[in-house]
């Protein structure tokens, strides 16, 4: 059983690279795909190798894909209605993550990605008219942060007839520190249309930055050693899109050593698991390669999650000099070059290492 557990990520990777794995445990592989919300993404593989995989495996993938096509069609209709209503209030929103995919991907590809909500961003002074537009459509607020809450502001809105919620942002996801070098999102966007409405879509390179910051720091995957395989597939689609990812520009977006290590850890996985042609200089440094090995080890043997937690200490000084200092609005005092994490930080890391989160491996 443990051998199957350790091999299933390799077999998943081979399927998504267009190869039939040798002697796969299909139940374990599909279990991983379900856990990471990537089962519909196997449809291209299943169609190509229909005669080389078990009939029930093909049928299962096909059923989930077709149901996801129906679900995402409803999300497109929902997004179209929402954008039109927001435009009527004089606001043109920025679409993030899955919402950007629905607005730009070919209709035939809409069923490949499973998504739970629609991420929409407006500027702070556009928040009130946007909320009024959504409330007028029958949405109710499911979550809203307290006025004095710390971190990025966002509101979750729901409506009984919809298959997904609206996640309304005023800034890209994750700590603002990681967007210092890239600047405001609007200059990185193009104006496009969905239905009768208009939206801004970030460039492929900026979307790659958003996905990295979201996974590695908002979701804390860099500290826990988790991989969001669904978003890794999205990065591959961005890299292989006609626009492509400008690797030099992406590298210039990261503001410090911690962000560079986190980005390159993602890129090592992108190259290793999905055969994306990432430049050698962005996948060859020691810490990102070590972090990638840690992630693979934990994916194969989850009991190693606590044992490998000390690897996070390699970036603790980078954290204190960058994100930590920006949060406290001060830098390290004096000549001290090293310090141990606080007991509360260690407790949080230990808690995080025990968490089993949907969509992660």
């Amino acid at each position: 059983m443990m051998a199957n557990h350790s091999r299933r990520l390799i077999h998943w990777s081979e399927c998504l690279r267009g190869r039939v794995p040798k002697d796969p445990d299909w139940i374990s592989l599909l279990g991983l795909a379900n856990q990471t919300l990537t089962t519909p993404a196997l449809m291209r593989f299943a169609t190509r190798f229909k005669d080389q995989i078990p009939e029930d495996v093909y049928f299962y993938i096909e059923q989930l894909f077709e149901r996801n096509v129906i679900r995402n069609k409803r999300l497109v209709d929902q997004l179209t209605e929402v954008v039109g209503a927001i435009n009527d209030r004089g606001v043109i929103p920025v679409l993030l993550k899955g919402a950007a995919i629905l607005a730009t991907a070919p209709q035939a590809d809409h069923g490949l990605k499973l998504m739970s909500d629609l991420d929409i961003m407006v500027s702070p002074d556009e928040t009130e008219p946007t909320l009024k537009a959504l409330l007028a459509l029958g949405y109710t607020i499911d979550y809203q942060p307290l006025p004095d809450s710390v971190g990025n502001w966002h509101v979750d809105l729901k409506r009984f007839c919809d298959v997904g919620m609206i996640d309304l942002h005023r800034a890209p996801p994750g700590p603002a520190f990681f967007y210092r070098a890239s600047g405001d999102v609007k200059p990185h966007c193009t104006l496009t249309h969905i239905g009768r409405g208009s939206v801004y879509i970030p460039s492929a390179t900026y979307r790659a930055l958003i996905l990295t910051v979201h996974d590695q720091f908002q979701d804390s995957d860099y500290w826990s050693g988790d991989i969001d395989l669904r978003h890794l597939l999205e990065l591959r689609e961005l890299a292989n899109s006609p626009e492509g990812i400008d690797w030099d520009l992406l590298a210039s977006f990261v503001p410090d050593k911690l962000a560079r290590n986190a980005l390159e850890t993602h890129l090592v996985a992108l190259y290793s698991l999905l055969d994306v042609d990432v430049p050698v200089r962005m996948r060859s440094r020691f810490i990102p390669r070590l972090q990638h090995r840690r992630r693979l080890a934990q994916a194969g043997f989850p009991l190693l999650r606590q044992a490998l937690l000390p690897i996070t200490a390699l970036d603790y000084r980078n954290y204190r000099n960058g994100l930590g200092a920006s949060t406290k609005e001060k830098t390290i005092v004096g000549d001290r070059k090293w310090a141990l994490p606080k007991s509360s930080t260690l407790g949080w890391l230990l808690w995080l290492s025990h968490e089993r989160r949907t969509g992660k491996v």
Side-chain angles (χ1 to χ4, degrees):
M1 180 65 71
M2 184 60 74
N4 288 341
H5 193 79
S6 65
R7 289 164 47 206
R8 64 178 187 164
L9 178 57
I10 297 173
H11 290 162
W12 175 94
S13 170
E14 290 177 343
C15 290
L16 269 300
R17 287 184 288 177
R19 307 167 192 169
V20 179
K22 183 179 180 181
D23 300 324
D25 181 338
W26 289 108
I27 293 178
S28 181
L29 193 157
L30 291 176
L32 175 65
N34 289 338
Q35 174 192 333
T36 56
L37 309 178
T38 57
T39 307
L42 290 168
M43 193 64 225
R44 288 174 178 165
F45 162 82
T47 301
R48 180 179 175 184
F49 298 104
K50 182 177 181 180
D51 295 335
Q52 301 181 47
I53 63 176
E55 182 178 354
D56 56 346
V57 170
Y58 175 85
F59 178 76
Y60 180 79
I61 295 171
E62 182 186 43
Q63 286 294 304
L64 264 65
F65 174 79
E66 290 181 350
R67 294 184 184 195
N68 197 45
V69 168
I70 297 170
R71 186 178 187 277
N72 284 356
K73 173 62 169 62
R74 292 184 61 183
L75 283 173
V76 171
D77 293 342
Q78 180 185 352
L79 180 62
T80 302
E81 179 192 28
V82 164
V83 167
I86 295 174
N87 284 174
D88 289 342
R89 303 278 178 157
V91 177
I92 300 178
V94 178
L95 301 188
L96 305 175
K97 298 167 57 185
I101 292 176
L102 291 177
T104 58
Q107 188 172 353
D109 293 344
H110 280 182
L112 294 172
K113 179 177 170 62
L114 189 64
M115 54 191 78
S116 59
D117 53 23
L118 296 170
D119 290 273
I120 297 173
M121 190 184 87
V122 298
S123 62
D125 61 344
E126 294 172 332
T127 303
E128 184 177 351
T130 300
L131 280 174
K132 286 182 178 179
L134 293 172
L135 294 174
L137 288 176
Y139 286 91
T140 58
I141 294 176
D142 184 67
Y143 167 81
Q144 184 170 7
L146 297 173
D148 58 349
S149 60
V150 178
N152 276 0
W153 182 97
H154 75 279
V155 172
D156 294 331
L157 300 106
K158 63 181 180 181
R159 193 170 58 174
F160 75 93
C161 60
D162 293 326
V163 295
M165 292 203 296
I166 301 294
D167 197 352
L168 181 63
H169 302 260
R170 292 197 301 208
F177 172 82
F178 294 112
Y179 297 99
R180 286 183 174 183
S182 59
D184 184 65
V185 63
K186 288 284 181 69
H188 303 283
C189 291
T190 56
L191 185 66
T192 189
H193 301 283
I194 176 169
R196 67 179 180 87
S198 299
V199 293
Y200 289 111
I201 303 293
S203 68
T205 303
Y206 200 91
R207 286 161 67 183
L209 173 69
I210 289 174
L211 284 173
T212 300
V213 174
H214 176 276
D215 290 353
Q216 299 289 59
F217 296 110
Q218 176 165 301
D219 282 3
S220 302
D221 290 356
Y222 189 63
W223 306 119
S224 63
D226 289 326
I227 310 175
D228 191 314
L229 296 180
R230 185 171 54 126
H231 287 165
L232 202 66
L233 286 171
E234 189 172 334
L235 282 173
R236 181 178 70 171
E237 294 302 313
L238 291 172
N240 294 339
S241 68
E243 178 187 359
I245 294 174
D246 184 330
W247 302 109
D248 290 333
L249 182 60
L250 181 59
S252 74
F253 283 166
V254 296
D256 69 347
K257 293 179 180 179
L258 173 62
R260 182 184 179 191
N261 286 342
L263 170 65
E264 292 184 8
T265 298
H266 242 17
L267 298 185
V268 173
L270 198 59
Y271 170 78
S272 174
L273 296 177
L274 296 176
D275 278 347
V276 173
D277 187 18
V278 177
V280 174
R281 66 183 182 280
M282 299 182 74
R283 55 176 171 84
S284 57
R285 293 189 310 114
F286 172 71
I287 288 182
R289 291 178 65 83
L290 178 64
Q291 289 283 16
H292 178 64
R293 288 181 176 273
R294 171 201 179 194
R295 295 162 105 184
L296 294 183
Q298 292 181 180
F301 303 95
L303 292 176
L304 291 175
R305 291 174 64 85
Q306 289 76 48
L308 297 179
L309 201 57
I311 290 178
T312 60
L314 293 173
D315 266 301
Y316 186 62
R317 183 184 175 195
N318 292 332
Y319 165 79
R320 293 180 70 236
N321 284 333
L323 179 60
S326 72
T327 302
K328 297 180 180 180
E329 297 183 347
K330 62 182 181 179
T331 57
I332 298 175
V333 178
D335 296 328
R336 184 175 54 178
K337 298 182 181 297
W338 183 257
L340 291 174
K342 294 180 180 179
S343 59
S344 58
T345 301
L346 292 173
W348 174 77
L349 287 171
L350 189 60
W351 168 82
L352 190 65
S353 70
H354 284 91
E355 282 290 291
R356 305 304 296 159
R357 297 175 291 170
T358 302
K360 312 287 185 180
V361 63

